[in-house]
Amino acid sequence: MNMLAVATSYLGLTDEQKFGPVFMKSFDDFMVVKLSPCGDLEEGRLQLCQPEGYGDLLKNIQKSWNASQSLLELRGPKAKLQRMVRYMFFFDEEKKSEKVLLEGRDGITDFPWAVQIVVIQLPVKVLEQDLEWIRKADTIVLLDSENEAGRDFATGMKTICPDIPIFSEKVQEGLSHDLKVSLEVLFADYIKKRNRIKDILNARHPELQISCTSAHRMAGELGVNLFLVGSVCDELGYRITQCGLGCF
């Protein structure tokens, strides 16, 4: 199984329902998981070091499918939604899906191990957090910005992040051919990186455990996101040892 996870982040006044359905028209082999954060975590509980089991999480998450069973909406506290996705991807045989679009406003923060699409609808006042997201994007999509303001914004973004592709899209017309081709290249590269990490883990750490230091070193050696290494470790059932926080 070659897992392909794609996450969205939104800037501006974007209606989050706009991009997901258009994406599905071009990539209909994906399942969409829409994350709808609501409610707060219980006070006094450090979620990272006191993780909940899958059964406990299910009690706090509301799930609903659309009619075609291609879109699953999850509602609950944000940190619990993050954990729910992790369990579904790696530990629930019935829920596993090879290709998933994680549709939400904060994909870069919530799922840093996925392919990152930053969706922008003008007007938007670019703040420091926004710039951080933009720099971490794998691709940027400007919605309905075929005007002078949109062109000026795209030019400014290319100055800030010249290596990140930017596409101006008319959502009512579906994804452009150029964006679709660019995404296909990104997806293939993502799968290639996951497979490289798997090969090294199998060769160097067949005992299904790896130290936190070794994971950092592997990420640097391969030039990949550390979170991606952690995600592959999850997928293969690895245990992370000697964590500085003692969480694993």
Side-chain angles (χ1 to χ4, degrees):
M1 177 178 175
N2 288 319
M3 193 193 80
L4 173 55
V6 182
T8 61
S9 297
Y10 287 86
L11 298 177
L13 302 177
T14 309
D15 178 354
E16 294 175 34
Q17 297 292 341
K18 281 188 175 181
F19 186 73
V22 176
F23 177 92
M24 288 291 292
K25 290 179 181 178
S26 294
F27 298 96
D28 58 4
D29 53 345
F30 274 72
M31 181 180 81
V32 176
V33 178
K34 176 158 181 61
L35 287 303
S36 299
C38 63
D40 299 316
L41 291 171
E42 302 142 2
E43 294 184 4
R45 181 177 175 83
L46 182 57
Q47 293 292 307
L48 180 62
C49 295
Q50 298 179 2
E52 295 175 280
Y54 192 33
D56 292 330
L57 278 173
L58 287 172
K59 298 175 184 177
N60 295 284
I61 301 294
Q62 298 176 1
K63 301 185 296 180
S64 59
W65 288 92
N66 68 346
S68 66
Q69 296 285 299
S70 60
L71 186 151
L72 172 64
E73 182 175 6
L74 301 177
R75 297 179 60 85
K78 186 172 182 179
K80 293 181 185 292
L81 292 178
Q82 291 172 278
R83 290 191 174 278
M84 184 71 172
V85 168
R86 178 176 179 266
Y87 273 106
M88 286 176 59
F89 264 127
F90 306 119
F91 308 121
D92 188 331
E93 293 296 334
E94 294 182 0
K95 297 293 191 301
K96 281 185 178 180
S97 182
E98 187 172 343
K99 298 179 180 181
V100 178
L101 174 68
L102 299 166
E103 178 81 325
R105 294 198 67 87
D106 306 319
I108 284 178
T109 302
D110 296 341
F111 309 105
W113 41 270
V115 176
Q116 300 297 335
I117 300 176
V118 173
V119 182
I120 301 175
Q121 179 141 32
L122 300 180
V124 58
K125 182 178 180 181
V126 177
L127 304 175
E128 191 59 36
Q129 175 186 287
D130 300 336
L131 286 176
E132 181 183 354
W133 278 10
I134 288 168
R135 292 189 180 103
K136 291 180 179 179
D138 290 304
T139 194
I140 297 170
V141 176
L142 291 177
L143 295 184
D144 302 323
S145 299
E146 289 291 335
N147 51 36
E148 185 176 353
R151 289 189 290 272
D152 289 345
F153 185 86
T155 299
M157 289 299 96
K158 288 176 182 176
T159 301
I160 295 171
C161 45
D163 297 327
I164 300 174
I166 302 173
F167 297 89
S168 295
E169 299 290 305
K170 296 181 179 180
V171 292
Q172 66 272 20
E173 298 179 4
L175 301 186
S176 67
H177 172 75
D178 289 346
L179 175 55
K180 184 177 178 181
V181 170
S182 180
L183 289 175
E184 288 171 344
V185 172
L186 277 175
F187 297 165
D189 184 59
Y190 178 83
I191 291 172
K192 181 179 179 181
K193 287 177 180 177
R194 292 190 74 94
N195 287 334
R196 287 174 64 197
I197 296 169
K198 289 178 184 179
D199 290 342
I200 292 180
L201 286 171
N202 290 330
R204 299 180 186 175
H205 306 279
E207 67 281 9
L208 293 183
Q209 68 178 29
I210 181 174
S211 70
C212 196
T213 301
S214 295
H216 276 79
R217 189 181 301 119
M218 182 186 302
E221 176 186 336
L222 294 176
V224 301
N225 188 315
L226 178 62
F227 293 103
L228 182 59
V229 174
S231 171
V232 175
C233 287
D234 267 342
E235 181 183 0
L236 298 180
Y238 272 71
R239 177 171 176 265
I240 309 294
T241 64
Q242 300 173 33
C243 171
L245 292 175
C247 299
F248 301 96

